[in-house]
Amino acid sequence: MYKLKTKENDHSVIEFIENIENPKKREDAYQLLDIFTETTGYPAKMWGTSIIGFGSYHYKYKSGHEGDAPFVGFSPRKAKISLYLATGEPKREELLNQLGKHTTGKACVYVNKLSDIDVTILKLLIDQSVNFLKVTYPN
């Protein structure tokens, strides 16, 4: 059976950010920390070794797979910053088209640096993600 590796833990978010080698990426991480905390109202928590998550929900798929995940989060990776925002909300694409320079993966939005994107649109995406997941997974 699949074992979920990315779980909420008590590791220090600040310590994690302080260990980011690139000074610009570290500065962006602190700005994102403020943006996500202010927008969600949730405290930042480490999920696994490299994801900073905000809030949490429990999901269960039709396949029977279930687990816990943050509503939203980010990870300042070496190459790009990964933004974890919910998929499935119909207006997501509309907002992503206004976000600025980014690429998308299956569930992540990748940005090189915070100055490449519109922070106002990011805040709307964060709100949209949290609200969508609260409705989709009410328990």
Side-chain angles (χ1 to χ4, degrees), residues 3-20:
K3 186 94 168 123
L4 191 63
K5 289 180 257 173
T6 307
K7 294 183 179 178
E8 184 179 333
N9 60 64
D10 290 328
H11 297 151
S12 169
V13 170
I14 299 301
E15 192 174 300
F16 170 71
I17 293 174
E18 281 298 315
N19 283 317
I20 298 169

Side-chain angles (χ1 to χ4, degrees), residues 16 29 55 57 65 75 131:
F16 170 71
Y57 66 100
H65 174 76
S75 182
N131 292 331

Side-chain angles (χ1 to χ4, degrees), residues 11-18 20 25-46 51-54 72-76 81 83 114 119 122-123 126:
H11 297 151
S12 169
V13 170
I14 299 301
E15 192 174 300
F16 170 71
I17 293 174
E18 281 298 315
I20 298 169
K25 195 153 284 188
R26 187 171 44 248
E27 182 183 317
D28 281 356
Y30 276 119
Q31 286 183 293
L32 285 166
L33 179 63
D34 289 343
I35 291 165
F36 275 79
T37 301
E38 180 184 299
T39 306
T40 66
Y42 292 107
K45 295 280 190 172
M46 289 302 300
I51 297 172
I52 300 170
F54 300 82
V72 291
F74 70 93
S75 182
I81 298 169
L83 304 174
L114 198 54
V119 171
L122 174 59
K123 289 178 181 181
I126 292 168

Side-chain angles (χ1 to χ4, degrees), residues 8 17 19 32 39 48-49 56 59 71 86 98 101 107 127-128 133:
E8 184 179 333
I17 293 174
N19 283 317
L32 285 166
T39 306
T49 58
S56 67
Y59 62 86
F71 283 127
Q98 301 171 55
K101 188 177 172 187
D127 272 339
Q128 179 191 69
L133 290 169

